[in-house]
Each structure stands twice: as structure tokens, then as C-alpha cells.
Amino acid sequence: MKAYLIKMFGISLALTILVELPVAFVLRWGMKHLGRTGKKTESASNGGRQARKATQATVSTSGGRIGPALGSKRHLALLVVLVNLLTNPLAVLLCWLGRMYLPPFLSLPVQLLVEAAVVAVEAWIYRSFMEKPGWQTGRPVLLSVTANVCSWTIGIVCGRWIDLAVAIALRLGQGW
């Protein structure tokens, strides 16, 4: 059982990182190259005298487009990996316990609640790094939602294959 859990957590974490890193880089590329069109908005309540907050920093790109301030690719990759190391094991454990001890019809609602909590925590962590130079993620909520929807969908699609691969690996491990 211990080997099964270790492999389950390891495969889930590896798959999540393999899916979420490309999603983060595609979103970063899109924000960098497409940006937001339009003028910088200024606060109407103070007559436009205050600058935007550091958490909502924008950078002017070619062609007059305005885009979010972005950190380095290396920092983004490290942040995505560390955030997933923090959230993925607990999410996998809670979903697995839900499958084990709750009626089958509650499995999907439990997964959706756990994923909603993971999205909120990850978005909060990404947002907290927006103030640190070089660590900006652009749109933290968009990054968290998109990355988690993609990894959850791949996990659901590949779930049966992953369970089969773990079972085969365990059988092969017992035979040797």
C-alpha cells in the first residue's frame, strides 16, 4: 500500500507539473506578445494623480499596447513547480480519501471542491509574488484557473491509464 501511495503521488505530481508548466509559458507568451489593447486606465476617484498599484503594474509594448509586467521564465517555472509541490499532494490525498470513504456519487463534487480550493490557494500564492521584481506572473487568477482546469482534465482522461500503469509497475516490482 505504501508503494502504491508513493507512486500515486509521484505520478500525479509529475503529470501536473508536465501539464501546468507549458500552460504557464503559453499564457506568459500570450500576455507578452498580445498584451492588452487600449490606454492605461487611471483612477477616476483621485483625478488620475496616483499610479497603479505595484500588483497591477503594466508595461507598454510596441504598437501602443499595454500588457502586464512579467517576470523571468526561470522564476515562473520555479514558482509553478513549488506551488504544485505545495498543493498537489494534499489535493490528491483528499480526492483519494473521498473515493475510498464516500459514496461514488460524491466523488466528482469532492474533486470539484478540492480543485476550487487549490485554484484559490494557487492564485493567492501567485498574486503574493506579483510585488516581487522578476517574479510577476501576469494574471495570477487566469494562470491558476487555466493550469488547474488543464491538469484536472488530463488527470481525468489519463486516470485509468495511470491506475493501470501503477498496478503494472507494482506487479513487476513484486516479481523482481
Side-chain angles (χ1 to χ4, degrees), residues 35-98:
R36 265 181 28 198
T37 57
K39 297 189 301 185
K40 241 187 220 186
T41 60
E42 296 178 355
S43 175
S45 63
N46 62 11
R49 287 182 292 245
Q50 286 185 329
R52 288 177 163 240
K53 292 181 180 177
T55 57
Q56 297 173 341
T58 58
V59 176
S60 181
T61 59
S62 63
R65 291 178 288 173
I66 305 297
L70 297 172
S72 71
K73 291 184 227 176
R74 185 182 59 206
H75 286 149
L76 178 63
L78 180 62
L79 189 58
V80 168
V81 169
L82 291 176
V83 163
N84 279 293
L85 280 171
L86 178 69
T87 58
N88 183 270
L90 183 59
V92 170
L93 177 66
L94 291 174
C95 290
W96 180 72
L97 289 173

Side-chain angles (χ1 to χ4, degrees), residues 91-114:
V92 170
L93 177 66
L94 291 174
C95 290
W96 180 72
L97 289 173
R99 275 198 324 262
M100 296 292 289
Y101 296 108
L102 293 175
F105 68 91
L106 288 177
S107 180
L108 183 62
V110 166
Q111 282 185 10
L112 293 176
L113 284 173
V114 168

Side-chain angles (χ1 to χ4, degrees), residues 20-29 31 70-83 126 134-138 143:
E20 290 192 14
L21 274 176
V23 168
F25 285 126
V26 167
L27 284 174
R28 183 186 186 283
W29 180 88
M31 284 185 274
L70 297 172
S72 71
K73 291 184 227 176
R74 185 182 59 206
H75 286 149
L76 178 63
L78 180 62
L79 189 58
V80 168
V81 169
L82 291 176
V83 163
Y126 291 140
W135 288 89
Q136 295 91 352
T137 57
L143 172 59

